[in-house]
Amino acid sequence: LVVLVAYFLGPAAMLHDGSHFSLSKWAWLNRVCAYVGSAHSSVYMWDHQHTIAHHSYTGLHGCDPDLYHFTIGARSKIPLPGIGAVGLPGFRPSPSLRPLPTRLGRHAWLLGWLTRALLTTFGPSVLEEVLMYAPCFPFGGSSYLGIIALRRHSRARLAAHFAGRAVVVFLGVVLPFAALAMAPPLSLTSLAKAFAFGVLPFAVNGMYYYAVSQVSHIQEACFASTADEGHPLVNNEWAIHQVQHTVDYGITDALTKHMSVGLNNQAVHHLFPQVAWVHYDALAPILERTCREFGVTYRHHRGFAEAFFHHMLFLKRVNESDVYAAPKRRMMSQATLKFLGEVARPAAAAPPTAATGDAGSSHR
């Protein structure tokens, strides 16, 4: 676990910071650092999903891919004996997304939360890359989840990209289990070792990244603003929008800053992504004073525990109720909305009643 946490604090942070060009004044060195930390996520997809889409359209429905990672496949129909058709475990991060099926009970979202949090990095970096290019899905390599257009690359460049991802998956996931199969006899100990080397690294990295980043973006206050209603793209000043869609925590605490690699100060990071995170705790009080001067609410919690508590309370309220604030305007194609499960299936027509033969005359 020490090694896995060290990877997050070192190479993984280099992917994030290098993609924002905040590590060096030389662009080439930033790119090298980004690739050093790309074991858990490809630079190509990270550039589109995070650096461009998420940072440009933070929390905007139909524009920010981060709103949809946790519900993909959750409305699919997988038959389970004695239960019926259910979707993959998932949860809603925003009341603007359609409620998920509750066949397994109101608290099933907790299983979805745990599953998706563990897959926070492996999902977008591996599984969603398959969705982008697989011919059975509607994207055809032209966009990320139908939300942000992908930069066109030559076939040779794409081949190199997928070869690199294949090597990562082989070394990180396939090889540990292949080594287990080639070293009989099988035992619980050997299986546990394969799991520890093939699954645990991605899971720990995913949960760690989810914990320090999503508690700032999935909060009730982040979706309380009505300024983006009916957008495109936003009816508010960009910097104000960034502050309104983040809730920070422990903004001047040195330990929190280092353990979250600066992600505890998301408002500062979104306003100045090209500034290294070691300066965020010094910039946060300046941002707070400036927001107060111009009447902008700058929200932050005292520490991570408080932020996580409010994060989970918000998820409980959203996922254990049918509250649905449907966006006034959609920014995605019908095919994308259908794939993401954001198009409601038409209700089945009621059968004719015995009394009148009129399907609409009564309901039982």
Side-chain angles (χ1 to χ4, degrees):
L1 288 177
V2 172
V3 173
L4 298 179
V5 172
Y7 172 80
F8 180 86
L9 299 178
M14 291 170 68
L15 166 67
H16 180 262
D17 299 340
S19 297
H20 285 302
F21 297 91
S22 65
L23 293 176
S24 171
K25 65 180 180 180
W26 294 300
W28 66 268
L29 185 55
N30 282 297
R31 297 307 282 175
V32 169
C33 290
Y35 276 98
V36 168
S38 62
H40 68 289
S41 179
S42 73
V43 176
Y44 177 57
M45 286 298 177
W46 183 262
D47 281 343
H48 290 85
Q49 175 255 321
H50 178 81
T51 309
I52 298 175
H54 171 65
H55 269 262
S56 298
Y57 312 115
T58 310
L60 288 181
H61 318 299
C63 300
D64 185 353
D66 284 3
L67 292 178
Y68 302 94
H69 296 311
F70 309 111
T71 59
I72 293 177
R75 299 182 182 88
S76 57
K77 299 293 184 179
I78 303 174
L80 293 180
I83 298 178
V86 298
L88 298 174
F91 68 96
R92 286 199 299 159
S94 165
S96 67
L97 304 181
R98 288 182 54 235
L100 299 180
T102 56
R103 185 181 293 272
L104 297 179
R106 288 288 184 183
H107 303 295
W109 70 270
L110 287 168
L111 173 62
W113 173 82
L114 178 62
T115 304
R116 301 295 177 121
L118 292 171
L119 290 171
T120 295
T121 52
F122 187 79
S125 68
V126 178
L127 302 180
E128 289 181 9
E129 285 206 36
V130 175
L131 301 181
M132 297 308 99
Y133 288 91
C136 53
F137 295 105
F139 311 115
S142 62
S143 67
Y144 187 94
L145 294 182
I147 296 174
I148 184 75
L150 294 177
R151 180 183 178 186
R152 295 290 185 178
H153 282 300
S154 66
R155 292 184 178 180
R157 177 64 183 85
L158 285 176
H161 164 72
F162 285 112
R165 301 317 297 164
V167 169
V168 168
V169 173
F170 175 77
L171 294 178
V173 181
V174 177
L175 186 59
F177 287 94
L180 168 69
M182 291 185 293
L186 295 177
S187 67
L188 290 177
T189 301
S190 58
L191 183 62
K193 289 181 179 179
F195 180 86
F197 284 96
V199 177
L200 197 61
F202 284 100
V204 171
N205 184 268
M207 180 59 80
Y208 199 140
Y209 179 71
Y210 177 94
V212 299
S213 64
Q214 298 309 300
V215 296
S216 292
H217 287 305
I218 305 178
Q219 296 272 3
E220 186 169 8
C222 295
F223 302 100
S225 173
T226 59
D228 56 341
E229 288 185 359
H231 76 91
L233 284 170
V234 63
N235 298 326
N236 205 350
E237 204 280 329
W238 178 83
I240 295 176
H241 174 85
Q242 297 300 320
V243 174
Q244 289 179 334
H245 282 263
T246 54
V247 177
D248 294 342
Y249 56 93
I251 60 174
T252 59
D253 182 71
L255 179 61
T256 302
K257 176 183 73 172
H258 284 88
M259 293 306 295
S260 67
V261 288
L263 297 180
N264 63 311
N265 274 303
Q266 286 281 354
V268 175
H269 170 58
H270 274 254
L271 292 175
F272 310 106
Q274 76 282 7
V275 175
W277 60 264
V278 294
H279 304 294
Y280 289 173
D281 55 343
L283 292 172
I286 300 175
L287 173 61
E288 187 170 24
R289 289 196 300 270
T290 304
C291 287
R292 189 182 305 115
E293 178 183 354
F294 290 93
V296 177
T297 303
Y298 172 47
R299 303 177 180 89
H300 58 86
H301 293 293
R302 288 171 295 181
F304 172 78
E306 182 178 289
F308 186 77
F309 175 76
H310 286 279
H311 167 74
M312 295 303 293
L313 276 183
F314 173 66
L315 288 182
K316 176 180 172 64
R317 184 182 72 83
V318 170
N319 287 276
E320 295 187 8
S321 71
D322 294 325
V323 58
Y324 177 40
K328 293 182 177 180
R329 294 188 64 180
R330 304 285 192 173
M331 295 294 294
M332 296 179 285
S333 68
Q334 198 70 12
T336 298
L337 289 170
K338 183 177 180 180
F339 171 80
L340 295 175
E342 291 302 313
V343 177
R345 287 186 171 88
T353 62
T356 64
D358 181 3
S361 60
S362 65
H363 297 279
R364 294 184 179 180

